[in-house]
């Protein structure tokens, strides 16, 4: 296998749950040595989270903890913090998602850590960022998604705002943090100095909100919930079929819409004043969707999909995990991989993305057992003897 792009990069992860650890997951997927510091005896709560617990273990942890080394260390003790500093002194990057001010209270803020290590990059993931009047507030994804604008526009217009079935705000902030780390490391190549990457959940959501702010600023329009459609973008919706399964169809460009009309046996609709261009279709979105739904409702999905695909019209089913695992395209691209686990045997999970042609990422191992790498890391990185490690363990620092 080709060498991973981040081979040789050492990351100390001091975080829990999803936002910070997702940043560590991405860096680890692409070859960084990610040393995760966890509370002794308890570890990251993600080891316990999840609706189901096959064999008493969370299926969440093998994914969020993959490609990481677990070191137990009590950061609330002086000795624990001294050890953390020793590890950070040998690292390139620190990832943390404590509430802002926590590391400073421990004497481990960026100024303190970078005084003797000016090349250090610190990714700080939090709900509201490291500055500003809300910075010290507890900031979970549900609040960041709401403040960032996502919640208000998600769901049906006649109901309360809905949420995505995942903690998308946490994942977006972890992704932003990983992107920021790469930028900071590139800058370090020129300057020799590291810096702080400040990734706030609400801003990470805000950054994907397209023109929501600008449209309001220029026109006064407030985007609202619109269910399965984007207002003014038509046709682009989910439609019924005779098979009882839903089909997605996106044909909101003029050429694609004309092809769809031909398939429907209604080529005249492409020249109808109500539908002949983008603006007209958006203005008559409801009635156009009703026409298409009446047509798809009389089609078997197995026959309909090839027709749409042959015409070059974007189409597909709505997938769940079973459909993903059965899909030949997923299999051909190895979008889902099977990784050995000491208890579960082989476990399936998403691969490392995006794909790099020369130095791809990979899932090398699943989330480790708590403290699995403590002794090895403290020996090899911190330079401690077995006797010193045993003493720390006896004093419950590890």
């Amino acid at each position: 296998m080709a060498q991973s792009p981040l081979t040789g990069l050492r990351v100390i992860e001091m975080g829990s749950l999803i936002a910070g650890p997702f940043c560590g997951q991405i860096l680890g997927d692409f070859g960084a040595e990610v040393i995760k510091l966890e509370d002794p005896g308890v570890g990251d709560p993600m080891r316990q989270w999840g609706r189901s617990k096959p064999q008493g273990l969370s299926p969440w942890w093998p994914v969020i903890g993959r490609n990481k080394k677990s070191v137990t260390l009590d950061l609330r003790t002086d000795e624990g913090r001294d050890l953390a500093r020793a590890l950070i002194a040998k690292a390139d990057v620190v990832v943390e998602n404590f509430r802002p001010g926590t590391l400073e209270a421990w004497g481990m803020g960026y100024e303190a850590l970078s005084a003797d290590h000016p090349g250090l990059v610190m990714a700080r993931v939090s709900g509201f960022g490291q500055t500003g009047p809300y910075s010290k507030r507890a900031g979970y994804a549900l609040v960041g998604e709401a403040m960032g604008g996502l919640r208000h526009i998600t769901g049906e217009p006649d109901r309360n705002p809905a949420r995505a079935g995942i903690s998308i705000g946490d994942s977006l902030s972890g992704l932003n943090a990983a992107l920021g780390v790469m930028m900071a490391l590139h800058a370090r190549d020129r300057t020799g100095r590291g810096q702080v990457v400040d990734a706030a959940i609400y801003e990470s959501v805000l950054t994907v909100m397209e023109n929501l702010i600008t449209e309001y600023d220029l026109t006064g329009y407030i985007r609202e919930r619109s269910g399965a459609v984007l207002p003014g973008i038509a046709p682009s919706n989910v439609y019924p079929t005779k098979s009882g399964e839903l089909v997605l169809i996106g044909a909101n460009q003029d050429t694609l819409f004309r092809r769809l009309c031909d398939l429907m046996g209604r080529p005249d609709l492409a020249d109808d004043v109500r539908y002949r261009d983008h603006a007209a279709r958006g203005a008559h979105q409801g009635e156009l969707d009703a026409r298409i739904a009446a047509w798809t409702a009389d089609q078997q999905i197995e026959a309909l999909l090839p027709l749409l695909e042959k015409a070059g019209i974007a189409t597909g089913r709505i997938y769940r995990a079973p459909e993903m695992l059965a899909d030949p395209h997923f299999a051909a691209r190895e979008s889902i991989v099977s990784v050995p686990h000491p208890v579960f045997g082989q476990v399936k999970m998403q691969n490392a993305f995006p794909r790099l042609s020369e130095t791809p990422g990979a899932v090398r191992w699943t989330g480790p057992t708590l403290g699995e790498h403590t002794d090895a890391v403290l020996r090899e990185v911190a330079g401690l003897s077995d006797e010193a490690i045993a003493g720390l363990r006896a004093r419950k620092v590890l």
Side-chain angles (χ1 to χ4, degrees):
M1 179 181 290
Q3 190 176 61
S4 298
L6 300 184
T7 296
L9 188 75
R10 179 172 289 151
V11 178
I12 305 299
E13 181 185 297
M14 297 192 296
S16 61
L17 301 174
I18 300 174
F22 186 60
C23 173
Q25 178 190 323
I26 294 169
L27 300 177
D29 283 353
F30 288 91
E33 179 190 17
V34 180
I35 299 171
K36 181 176 180 64
L37 307 185
E38 301 187 74
D39 282 343
V42 179
D44 193 318
M46 297 306 293
R47 292 179 177 275
Q48 307 299 325
W49 275 31
R51 182 193 60 80
S52 55
K53 298 282 182 63
Q55 302 189 58
L57 299 176
S58 168
W60 214 326
W61 176 248
V63 181
I64 195 76
R66 71 192 195 186
N67 295 330
K68 299 177 184 179
K69 297 177 179 179
S70 173
V71 171
T72 51
L73 199 59
D74 189 350
L75 294 173
R76 293 169 181 81
T77 66
D78 291 338
E79 285 185 294
R81 292 191 291 273
D82 287 344
L83 271 177
R85 291 188 191 96
L87 294 174
I88 291 168
K90 302 290 184 65
D92 300 281
V93 179
V94 170
V95 177
E96 66 94 6
N97 66 333
F98 295 112
R99 192 177 298 193
T102 300
L103 284 184
E104 283 75 9
W106 289 346
M108 296 177 64
Y110 184 73
E111 289 188 7
L113 293 176
S114 63
D116 297 319
H117 188 355
L120 181 68
V121 171
M122 178 181 278
R124 314 196 71 172
V125 187
S126 62
F128 304 100
Q130 300 299 309
T131 60
Y134 301 163
S135 61
K136 299 298 175 61
R137 291 183 181 178
Y140 277 25
L142 80 167
V143 179
E145 291 163 17
M147 283 188 61
L150 182 61
R151 285 294 185 96
H152 182 74
I153 62 170
T154 303
E156 297 296 330
D158 59 344
R159 302 179 192 176
N160 287 336
R163 69 169 294 169
I166 57 172
S167 298
I168 189 67
D170 281 335
S171 299
L172 285 172
S173 62
L175 187 63
N176 246 11
L179 178 63
V181 165
M182 293 296 96
M183 295 174 182
L185 290 172
H186 184 66
R188 188 180 73 174
D189 288 343
R190 298 194 311 272
T191 68
R193 296 195 60 81
Q195 59 186 293
V196 173
V197 176
D198 182 354
I201 295 175
Y202 86 96
E203 288 175 334
S204 299
V205 173
L206 179 62
T207 197
V208 299
M209 294 309 295
E210 301 175 350
N211 69 334
L212 182 144
I213 296 293
T214 308
E215 187 173 25
Y216 171 74
D217 181 52
L218 296 177
T219 71
Y221 176 76
I222 297 176
R223 193 175 297 188
E224 300 289 348
R225 292 182 292 286
S226 55
V229 303
L230 290 175
I233 309 297
S236 181
N237 206 340
V238 57
Y239 303 95
T241 67
K242 195 172 185 178
S243 316
E245 193 175 346
L246 297 173
V247 63
L248 291 158
I249 298 176
N252 46 296
Q253 293 184 28
D254 293 349
T255 54
L256 295 180
F257 180 64
R258 185 172 292 277
R259 293 178 204 163
L260 178 62
C261 293
D262 289 342
L263 289 180
M264 294 169 61
R266 292 295 308 274
D268 57 297
L269 293 179
D271 297 312
D272 190 305
V273 67
R274 294 169 295 176
Y275 313 129
R276 65 185 177 192
D277 59 32
H278 176 80
R281 288 191 296 275
H284 298 89
Q285 186 169 24
E287 64 184 66
L288 178 57
D289 276 340
R291 286 181 180 274
I292 296 170
W295 172 66
T296 60
D298 197 40
Q299 310 292 319
Q300 296 287 346
I301 195 168
E302 296 295 346
L304 178 60
L305 286 172
L307 286 175
L308 293 165
E309 290 166 5
K310 186 176 180 180
I313 296 169
T315 187
R317 291 177 159 97
I318 296 174
Y319 276 15
R320 306 165 302 161
E323 289 77 31
M324 296 177 192
L325 290 169
D327 190 284
H329 188 77
F330 278 65
R333 286 178 58 82
E334 297 185 334
S335 301
I336 295 172
V337 293
S338 185
V339 190
H341 186 277
V343 177
F344 296 141
Q346 294 290 320
V347 293
K348 297 184 188 307
M349 64 182 68
Q350 59 269 44
N351 207 338
F353 310 121
R355 298 173 183 278
L356 276 64
S357 62
E358 297 297 324
T359 56
V363 183
R364 301 184 301 282
W365 64 82
T366 60
T369 57
L370 182 60
E372 180 177 340
H373 304 93
T374 300
D375 289 26
V377 167
L378 293 184
R379 278 196 303 266
E380 296 165 13
V381 181
L384 299 186
S385 66
D386 289 342
E387 292 75 17
I389 294 171
L392 289 164
R393 185 165 282 114
R395 295 191 295 277
K396 301 187 184 305
V397 176
L398 308 181

